[in-house]
């Protein structure tokens, strides 16, 4: 018996071949090759509306014109909004017209505080705040005390009446609370307005000065005393020439013969 197992012929392993594409220095990858490496275009940012801060809605007080304004306290808590002559001064909020001054009564020789704004209109807003637009060139027909107005409604046009006579045309804009006409210094401005103007111009229409205004009124009182630009100038008069007293006239003496007149 054979003890050696039968020999099995070896089986050859299958050969594997691969074709490698030739590349050259001028080979350019196709768009399909680049698709995974290209960053997709960014989407447009989603505009989020500003938060609603009050139930009142406001607009910038000059409409349809390019404007600029001071953003710091100079003499009074008010601002000067520079704009061209004839630009529309509009009510910043729904409300009622309070005061209307059609006449430019300011005189440089006196510079009375009550007349410095020239032609002006004030509005008591539904928020209880008073808004003043002064140095107006014209006031629209029908604008008178007691008339209801809407935010954005034209009240007059920008000018340079009052003590702005020698300056570029502008709107004197001030925020305060309602008082009688005798307290004109309150009307001229009590609350710095530029933060509110910034918000209204940038689209945050519900940013309201109501809280700041009434907190200040509670602190200083409804009719605080005047502290800035309170006295008018005393008009200067030329000294009058002293006249000599009249000289006594001699008493006429009667004539000896009566005076006769021709017939």
């Amino acid at each position: 018996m054979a003890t050696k197992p039968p020999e099995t012929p070896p089986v050859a392993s299958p050969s594997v071949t691969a074709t490698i594409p030739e590349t050259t220095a001028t080979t350019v990858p196709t768009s399909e090759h680049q698709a995974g490496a290209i960053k997709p275009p960014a989407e447009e940012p989603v505009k989020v509306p500003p938060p609603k801060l009050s139930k009142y809605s406001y607009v910038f007080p000059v409409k349809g014109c390019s404007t600029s304004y001071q953003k710091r306290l100079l003499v009074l808590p008010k601002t000067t909004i520079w704009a061209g002559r004839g630009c529309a001064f509009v009510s910043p909020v729904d409300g009622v017209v309070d005061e209307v001054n059609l006449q430019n009564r300011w005189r440089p020789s006196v510079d009375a505080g009550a007349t410095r704004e020239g032609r002006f209109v004030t509005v008591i807003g539904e928020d209880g705040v008073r808004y003043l637009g002064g140095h107006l060139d014209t006031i629209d027909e029908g604008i008178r005390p007691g008339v209801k107005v809407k935010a954005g409604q034209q009240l007059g046009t920008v000018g340079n009446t009052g003590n702005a006579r020698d300056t570029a045309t502008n709107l004197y804009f001030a925020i305060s609370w309602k008082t009688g006409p005798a307290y004109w210094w309150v009307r001229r401005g009590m609350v710095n307005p530029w933060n509110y103007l910034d918000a209204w111009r940038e689209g945050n229409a519900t940013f309201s000065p109501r809280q700041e205004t009434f907190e200040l009124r509670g602190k200083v009182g409804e009719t605080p005393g005047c502290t800035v630009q309170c006295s008018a100038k005393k008009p200067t008069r030329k000294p009058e020439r002293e006249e000599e007293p009249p000289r006594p006239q001699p008493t006429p003496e009667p004539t000896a013969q009566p005076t006769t007149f021709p017939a």
Side-chain angles (χ1 to χ4, degrees), residues 16-224:
V16 178
T17 60
T19 304
I20 301 176
E22 295 183 0
T23 58
T24 62
T26 58
T27 301
V28 178
T30 64
S31 59
E32 286 122 2
H33 296 147
Q34 294 183 1
I38 296 177
K39 185 177 181 180
E43 295 182 358
E44 291 295 325
V46 177
K47 294 183 179 180
V48 178
K52 188 172 182 179
L53 302 176
S54 74
K55 65 179 181 179
Y56 309 104
S57 185
Y58 302 86
V59 299
F60 194 81
V62 177
K63 188 176 181 180
C65 290
S66 176
T67 61
S68 62
Y69 50 93
Q70 66 184 31
K71 299 183 182 183
R72 59 192 179 94
L73 178 64
L74 295 177
V75 179
L76 294 166
K78 56 88 180 178
T79 195
T80 300
I81 303 177
W82 303 101
R85 184 180 302 279
C87 291
F89 162 54
V90 301
S91 178
V93 67
D94 293 354
V96 177
V97 176
D98 183 38
E99 295 177 88
V100 177
N101 183 32
L102 296 170
Q103 300 297 322
N104 181 21
R105 298 186 178 90
W106 182 79
R107 296 292 178 269
S109 58
V110 179
D111 192 24
T115 64
R116 287 189 179 111
E117 282 65 65
R119 296 187 185 94
F120 68 81
V121 176
T122 65
V123 171
I124 306 298
E126 288 187 344
D127 56 1
V129 177
R130 177 169 58 184
Y131 302 90
L132 164 68
H135 298 329
L136 299 179
D137 188 42
T138 63
I139 294 174
D140 279 29
E141 186 176 355
I143 299 302
R144 59 184 182 276
V147 170
K148 291 184 178 181
V149 292
K150 303 295 288 183
Q153 179 178 337
Q154 181 168 318
L155 307 177
T157 59
V158 173
N160 62 339
T161 56
N163 67 345
R165 184 183 69 174
D166 299 324
T167 71
T169 55
N170 66 86
L171 177 73
Y172 184 111
F173 185 74
I175 296 175
S176 62
W177 52 84
K178 182 175 174 61
T179 57
Y183 300 94
W184 51 264
W185 53 88
V186 177
R187 180 185 67 218
R188 297 193 72 208
M190 298 297 292
V191 174
N192 294 332
W194 42 85
N195 288 339
Y196 302 102
L197 291 174
D198 286 347
W200 303 341
R201 186 165 69 171
E202 293 167 6
N204 192 341
T206 60
F207 188 40
S208 175
R210 175 182 169 84
Q211 182 176 346
E212 183 180 2
T213 301
F214 282 88
E215 284 179 355
L216 181 60
R217 189 183 73 172
K219 181 178 179 181
V220 302
E222 185 175 332
T223 54

